[in-house]
Amino acid sequence: MKKLIERNAKFIFFILPLSIFSLIGFIAFYFAIKFPENVPVYGWITIAIFAIIPLIIIYGFVFGFSISEKQQRQIEERQMKLLSDEQGITIEMPLFDKNCFISWQSIEAIIYYNYIISSDFTEYYEGYKLYLNTIPIYTKYEKQWWLNKLFPKDSQSKIIDIDNKTKHFCEIPKMVEKFLNSKVDIGFKDPMKGTLLSSQTYQSKNKITTIEKWKPSDIEDEQIVFDKFRRSLEEIKKSYC
């Protein structure tokens, strides 16, 4: 069930709720047309927001939006970023107006994961899960967006997920080796290259070209990066159930 939710997170947490909002908006629009005398001007505006805006956002999720260089810079500024020192790892979370601090002493295990959704081979997931013995320390920014003020409660989970969209994501193995004194040996794999179906080599003058056809892997690749107690993957996960 957990894997199903993770692999369909975009649909469950974004597209489905937005579709429901849009449906509510169109139902309200139907009744507004039927009884227009009962709908003030601000009512029509509210209905339009409920009906149209979610559809625009869904379109962006499915087909993507074209963005300017300025918008791209703003997106990068809101991107999560990793920092590390002798005390621990700090995850800057500007989108939520807060930082998450994880001390090295609190980290009991780190697991690397890498997989794709086998149904359409479009969603690619890569990251690290940090298993902790205590809840991280969250520090709020002095200036917060109003929406973040409405949801001030921080996660109480002892499992922290850091995906490959985080800045300095590739530095995690170096951080582990430097501050946890543990050699990191990960067999990084491309999930799009699961099984080699065919390979053909062509030679044209002095140029040699090899064309390979691969079947994507439908198996989730997980590898232990660090563990204090030399446990297996199953033992680590079981201890955090």
Side-chain angles (χ1 to χ4, degrees):
M1 184 65 180
K2 185 178 179 181
K3 286 185 178 181
L4 180 65
I5 293 174
E6 288 179 350
R7 296 184 181 189
N8 296 278
K10 182 187 290 186
F11 175 79
I12 294 172
F13 296 109
F14 293 99
I15 296 178
L16 182 59
L18 288 169
S19 300
I20 294 172
F21 272 108
S22 182
L23 179 60
I24 293 171
F26 279 105
I27 292 173
F29 183 65
Y30 168 78
F31 285 105
I33 293 176
K34 197 169 182 179
F35 308 103
E37 66 278 2
N38 297 326
V39 183
V41 175
Y42 64 83
W44 289 102
I45 296 173
T46 303
I47 291 171
I49 291 173
F50 266 85
I52 299 173
I53 299 300
L55 291 181
I56 296 174
I57 299 174
I58 290 173
Y59 178 88
F61 274 119
V62 177
F63 299 103
F65 292 109
S66 58
I67 58 176
S68 64
E69 291 184 7
K70 181 180 179 181
Q71 290 173 320
Q72 182 62 39
R73 287 195 301 270
Q74 291 175 339
I75 291 173
E76 291 176 355
E77 288 174 358
R78 305 292 283 177
Q79 185 180 6
M80 291 199 302
K81 182 169 66 174
L82 284 179
L83 300 172
S84 64
D85 56 24
E86 296 291 340
Q87 281 71 46
I89 294 176
T90 298
I91 307 174
E92 294 185 353
M93 308 168 70
L95 184 62
F96 303 102
D97 295 323
K98 62 185 176 182
N99 293 335
C100 173
F101 175 74
I102 304 166
S103 67
W104 295 116
Q105 291 79 7
S106 69
I107 300 176
E108 292 194 344
I110 301 175
I111 293 178
Y112 167 78
Y113 64 85
N114 183 359
Y115 64 93
I116 60 174
I117 292 181
S118 58
S119 59
D120 55 10
F121 307 121
T122 56
E123 295 291 341
Y124 173 51
Y125 296 91
E126 181 185 19
Y128 295 90
K129 287 187 178 180
L130 280 58
Y131 293 80
L132 315 178
N133 55 31
T134 186
I135 297 170
I137 299 172
Y138 293 91
T139 305
K140 303 290 179 66
Y141 296 175
E142 288 186 9
K143 294 183 179 180
Q144 295 183 23
W145 186 35
W146 67 269
L147 195 57
N148 288 330
K149 291 181 180 180
L150 291 178
F151 303 96
K153 189 174 181 180
D154 298 319
S155 170
Q156 299 299 299
S157 175
K158 294 182 182 179
I159 303 176
I160 302 299
D161 194 338
I162 304 175
D163 63 31
N164 61 353
K165 298 180 182 65
T166 306
K167 287 184 180 180
H168 308 311
F169 168 83
C170 296
E171 298 296 315
I172 291 179
K174 294 179 182 178
M175 295 177 186
V176 173
E177 291 186 346
K178 180 178 180 180
F179 297 110
L180 292 176
N181 299 316
S182 178
K183 180 67 177 176
V184 177
D185 185 17
I186 305 175
F188 292 97
K189 300 175 183 177
D190 184 351
M192 292 302 294
K193 294 184 177 181
T195 304
L196 181 62
L197 299 177
S198 65
S199 177
Q200 293 180 322
T201 301
Y202 303 92
Q203 184 170 358
S204 176
K205 295 183 180 180
N206 296 325
K207 185 179 180 181
I208 298 176
T209 304
T210 300
I211 299 177
E212 297 178 338
K213 292 183 179 180
W214 293 83
K215 177 184 177 182
S217 173
D218 58 357
I219 299 175
E220 182 173 351
D221 180 29
E222 293 181 309
Q223 302 174 48
I224 297 175
V225 175
F226 168 79
D227 181 54
K228 282 184 178 181
F229 311 108
R230 300 182 180 274
R231 296 167 292 181
S232 65
L233 282 168
E234 291 72 20
E235 289 172 334
I236 294 172
K237 292 180 179 180
K238 187 176 180 180
S239 64
Y240 281 82
C241 289

